Amino acid sequence: MEHKFKKIGVLTSGGDAPGMNAAIRAVVRTGIYNGLEVYGVKKGYNGLLNGDIIPMNARSVGEILQKGGTILQTARCLEFKEKKGQEQGVAMAKKFGLDGLVVIGGDGSFKGARQLCRMGLPTIAMPGTIDNDIDCSEYTVGYDTCLNTVIQAVDKLRDTSSSHDRCSVVEVMGRGAGYIAVEAGIACGAEVVLVPEYEYDFEKDVIEVIRDGVKRGKQHCIVIVAEGVGGVVEMAKKIEAETGMESRATILGHVQRGGSPTVRDRVIASQMGERCVELILKGEQNKIVCMRNGHISDVDIEEGLAMKKVLSPDLMLLAKKLSV
Ligand code: ADP
Ligand code: F6P
């Protein structure tokens, strides 16, 4: 197929997420399929600034589909938030002859992509983050794998909590978003779920719920707390002091970001990566590839960044109903 694009780059930025490798592979291989040369940009926007840019071929993305993390590595690059850094990035892309760029990351990375577009480098972004907090997309690559890691850990915590009649207070990731917390809460049968999006009253929403559970015959309980709410160690102490139920706090931390991606993450990453290349070939730019109504779709980056995702109150209510 004849088109004006010859060379494109791909980078991963922000926090890594399982499935990023599947996305890189899809960009490289669908790019090659369409006659493009594809370059990998190392360590997010850092590599773009510094010219850490390597040629990729079909073999360089072999054996990576099943691996967590990102073979291109990732970074948080403060210099790129400044105009000077962005200009340096565009100049470097020109030097390497890149006609377009695919950015895989979260909303911070999307803001960087928007700047590149504004400065004349056609850029397409796709969501790769465990948080599922991208406003314009129902799904972000990495979320399913992360949730599976969380539920395995919480199931294990339940084994020991029930053996000791204890309360397990578990912090999961999500600084500003409670998706991991609420869906893990539903999947693990947590008695209490606390997220940054909804205010809570410690006495009513935690202590009373635990006491009521004990009255109804529950002898142990699980409290899931999103990172953005925090304070699990103090919380466990207070629960023990006020309910008499021995309590332990666990912070799951970065274990949630690793691991071999699930089928869902591999397939969606592959589809989204393919869509990124298709958009570039069509001469589109300034777009976010996303999932809408269950299908791979895309939105204008300005529009996408202006949207506000609401954590479903129905999910929060379901978690509560199921804990009776
Ligand atoms: P995520 O992409 O996962 O949300 P960050 O918010 O840390 O992660 O953003 C990743 C990187 O994107 C930052 O380190 C920076 O290089 C770039 N970035 C973030 N915000 C902006 C911005 N407003 N303008 C330009 N680049 C940005
Ligand atoms: O955005 C993904 C995420 O894992 C968040 O859930 C978490 O708050 C943050 O990244 C942790 O970032 P870092 O890797 O810098 O500790």
Side-chain angles (χ1 to χ4, degrees):
M1 199 208 304
E2 263 310 300
H3 43 70
K4 64 178 180 147
F5 298 96
K6 302 279 179 238
K7 284 188 194 176
I8 62 167
V10 54
L11 62 80
T12 48
S13 168
D16 66 328
M20 278 184 162
N21 282 328
I24 296 168
R25 174 177 175 270
V27 171
V28 172
R29 291 203 173 161
T30 60
I32 291 170
Y33 181 86
N34 284 288
L36 293 172
E37 279 179 55
V38 188
Y39 285 73
V41 180
K42 303 287 299 282
K43 299 190 179 174
Y45 293 117
N46 270 319
L48 194 63
L49 296 188
N50 302 323
D52 195 358
I53 299 173
I54 52 166
M56 313 273 288
N57 59 41
R59 296 281 65 78
S60 45
V61 291
E63 298 290 326
I64 67 167
L65 192 56
Q66 74 282 15
K67 289 188 179 150
T70 155
I71 57 158
L72 292 175
Q73 297 189 279
T74 183
R76 293 198 161 95
C77 173
L78 295 182
E79 268 175 282
F80 195 75
K81 288 191 171 180
E82 308 299 325
K83 192 153 179 266
K84 191 164 163 262
Q86 294 157 11
E87 284 169 350
Q88 202 179 321
V90 173
M92 197 57 84
K94 260 199 194 126
K95 188 174 160 198
F96 277 79
L98 301 183
D99 303 310
L101 182 69
V102 173
V103 169
I104 305 163
D107 59 354
S109 305
F110 293 179
K111 288 178 191 152
R114 176 173 62 185
Q115 287 309 105
L116 290 173
C117 288
R118 285 177 178 166
M119 293 170 144
L121 179 66
T123 304
I124 304 290
M126 62 159 275
T129 165
I130 62 164
D131 290 345
N132 200 24
D133 63 343
I134 298 297
D135 305 327
C136 61
S137 188
E138 286 155 14
Y139 189 76
T140 64
V141 169
Y143 180 59
D144 188 58
T145 308
C146 166
L147 272 181
N148 279 290
T149 302
V150 171
I151 66 164
Q152 281 184 25
V154 176
D155 286 349
K156 287 174 183 164
L157 287 170
R158 189 181 279 287
D159 290 343
T160 168
S161 298
S162 71
S163 302
H164 286 265
D165 288 345
R166 279 178 178 162
C167 170
S168 195
V169 186
V170 192
E171 182 189 293
V172 298
M173 272 190 166
R175 258 194 295 249
Y179 297 93
I180 299 173
V182 71
E183 293 212 339
I186 290 169
C188 296
E191 275 65 32
V192 178
V193 175
L194 303 177
V195 296
E197 291 91 337
Y198 294 101
E199 285 190 0
Y200 70 96
D201 179 314
F202 188 72
E203 282 305 315
K204 182 169 155 287
D205 299 317
V206 182
I207 300 298
E208 275 179 34
V209 170
I210 295 172
R211 283 199 188 120
D212 287 350
V214 171
K215 276 186 208 147
R216 290 194 309 273
K218 291 195 180 194
Q219 283 166 341
H220 67 277
C221 75
I222 303 284
V223 175
I224 295 198
V225 183
E227 183 187 358
V229 173
V232 288
V233 174
E234 280 312 303
M235 223 179 261
K237 283 184 190 151
K238 274 165 101 179
I239 289 170
E240 184 163 321
E242 293 196 35
T243 66
M245 190 185 283
E246 214 184 346
S247 302
R248 294 286 186 271
T250 305
I251 297 175
L252 292 185
H254 288 79
V255 71
Q256 295 164 91
R257 286 240 294 262
S260 179
T262 58
V263 171
R264 184 164 163 78
D265 278 326
R266 295 181 198 195
V267 173
I268 293 175
S270 301
Q271 290 174 310
M272 286 186 167
E274 174 194 40
R275 176 68 75 107
C276 290
V277 172
E278 284 171 356
L279 289 172
I280 289 182
L281 291 175
K282 276 203 273 176
E284 302 262 10
Q285 52 176 293
N286 215 13
K287 291 257 170 141
I288 300 173
V289 169
C290 53
M291 181 177 283
R292 307 191 89 176
N293 302 316
H295 297 285
I296 305 300
S297 178
D298 53 81
V299 290
D300 181 81
I301 208 163
E302 305 280 350
E303 201 188 313
L305 281 171
M307 290 179 186
K308 186 81 203 108
K309 193 164 184 170
V310 177
L311 178 63
S312 159
D314 293 346
L315 281 180
M316 290 298 289
L317 185 59
L318 176 60
K320 193 173 175 168
K321 284 180 189 169
L322 293 175
S323 74
V324 291

